[in-house]
């Protein structure tokens, strides 16, 4: 078996062809540009373009990260949902500063967002939960995400009970399920280039307005 160093050195990155990104395409608001990029990612067949990395920190200041699904985008806000009983839910309880990262390798693009995650209303939580598939609802209703699982049989038993609950009372809502909106303070758009002349645009909030600047690759 080859060493990891040899395996990695033979892998290509940013091979192209990749789309262009010019300064005259920059919008006044980052969420408008994000939606343009998201549409391109979908049109270009990027696999799961709504998948993103959510980065949080715990009570000791140690970072953590995981991939989950973007639920919505509105003016300056990016939405995700989770259980408050999960590790990320516990971390959000003590520190609401988060980062989101989108990586669309097929088109050589990244979007990095830093901001504060705020819980949505009970009505929005309910609406989001009921949009989930019945299987996803059943899993969330167990309420043990990130806890120690002693054996697989325990999971199957609890899941079957939860599925019965969803089937019998389909409007049951997990009390721990929360929809969060990340109110962005900084957003960076990164367009890769095979020659490493990457195009980077960073937006920073200035009160109710945004200012943007180009960054060196």
């Amino acid at each position: 078996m080859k060493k990891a160093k040899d395996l990695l050195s033979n892998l290509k990155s940013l091979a192209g062809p990749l789309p262009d990104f010019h300064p005259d395409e920059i919008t006044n608001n980052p969420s408008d540009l994000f939606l343009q990029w998201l549409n391109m990612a979908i049109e270009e067949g990027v696999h799961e373009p709504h998948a993103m990395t959510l980065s949080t920190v715990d009570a000791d200041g140690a970072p953590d990260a995981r991939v989950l699904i973007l639920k919505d985008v509105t003016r300056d806000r990016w939405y995700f949902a989770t259980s408050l009983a999960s590790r990320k839910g516990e971390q959000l309880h003590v520190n609401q500063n988060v980062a989101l990262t989108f990586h669309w390798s097929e088109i050589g693009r990244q979007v990095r967002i830093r901001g504060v995650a705020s819980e949505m209303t009970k009505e929005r939580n309910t609406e989001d939960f009921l949009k989930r598939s019945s299987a996803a609802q059943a899993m969330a209703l167990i309420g043990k995400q990130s806890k120690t699982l002693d054996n697989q049989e325990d999971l199957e038993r609890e899941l079957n009970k939860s599925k019965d609950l969803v089937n019998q009372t389909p409007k049951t809502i997990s009390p721990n399920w929360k929809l969060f909106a990340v109110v962005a303070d900084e957003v960076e758009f990164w367009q890769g280039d095979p020659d490493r002349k990457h195009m980077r645009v960073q937006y920073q909030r200035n009160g109710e307005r945004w200012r943007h600047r180009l960054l060196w690759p």
Side-chain angles (χ1 to χ4, degrees), residues 27-200:
T27 61
N28 292 328
N29 188 282
S31 52
D32 293 335
L33 183 56
F34 177 85
L35 289 173
Q36 291 180 21
W37 278 34
L38 178 62
N39 272 283
M40 174 178 277
I42 295 170
E43 291 168 0
E44 293 296 324
V46 172
H47 181 64
E48 296 188 353
H50 55 335
M52 63 183 185
T53 300
L54 168 67
S55 300
T56 54
V57 292
D58 64 18
D60 297 321
D64 205 349
R66 75 291 289 161
V67 177
L68 68 168
I69 296 300
L70 176 69
K71 292 300 190 81
D72 194 8
V73 182
T74 59
R75 200 70 167 177
D76 306 334
R77 288 166 169 78
W78 283 256
Y79 296 81
F80 69 89
T82 188
S83 169
L84 293 182
S86 68
R87 178 175 293 182
K88 57 184 173 293
E90 294 171 352
Q91 292 167 355
L92 288 165
H93 180 70
V94 297
N95 191 330
Q96 293 179 302
N97 293 298
V98 302
L100 306 176
T101 306
F102 294 84
H103 180 218
W104 300 320
S105 61
E106 293 92 335
I107 55 176
R109 288 184 167 181
Q110 294 183 58
V111 182
R112 300 168 56 209
I113 301 163
R114 300 174 72 190
V116 177
S118 300
E119 291 185 26
M120 295 291 95
T121 63
K122 180 179 179 181
E123 291 73 21
R124 293 290 302 276
N125 296 333
T126 298
E127 178 186 12
D128 181 79
F129 189 83
L130 293 178
K131 284 183 177 179
R132 291 167 62 82
S133 67
S134 58
Q137 290 181 30
M139 186 63 73
L141 284 166
I142 295 175
K144 295 183 179 181
Q145 186 178 0
S146 301
K147 303 300 185 289
T148 299
L149 176 63
D150 293 324
N151 58 72
Q152 195 69 19
E153 288 74 20
D154 290 343
L155 170 60
E156 296 300 332
R157 182 175 59 256
E158 292 296 325
L159 184 57
N160 287 332
K161 288 166 52 179
S162 193
K163 285 180 177 179
D164 288 342
L165 176 61
V166 171
N167 290 332
Q168 294 169 10
T169 54
K171 298 296 185 181
T172 302
I173 308 298
S174 168
N176 288 323
W177 192 255
K178 297 294 180 182
L179 181 69
F180 286 86
V182 177
V183 181
D185 294 315
E186 181 179 297
V187 184
E188 181 185 326
F189 294 83
W190 185 96
Q191 172 62 68
D193 178 86
D195 296 325
R196 283 15 183 204
K197 296 184 295 183
H198 312 311
M199 174 71 169
R200 297 175 63 189

Side-chain angles (χ1 to χ4, degrees), residues 14-32:
L14 300 175
L18 301 176
D20 293 325
F21 178 45
H22 301 288
D24 58 6
E25 299 175 35
I26 298 172
T27 61
N28 292 328
N29 188 282
S31 52
D32 293 335

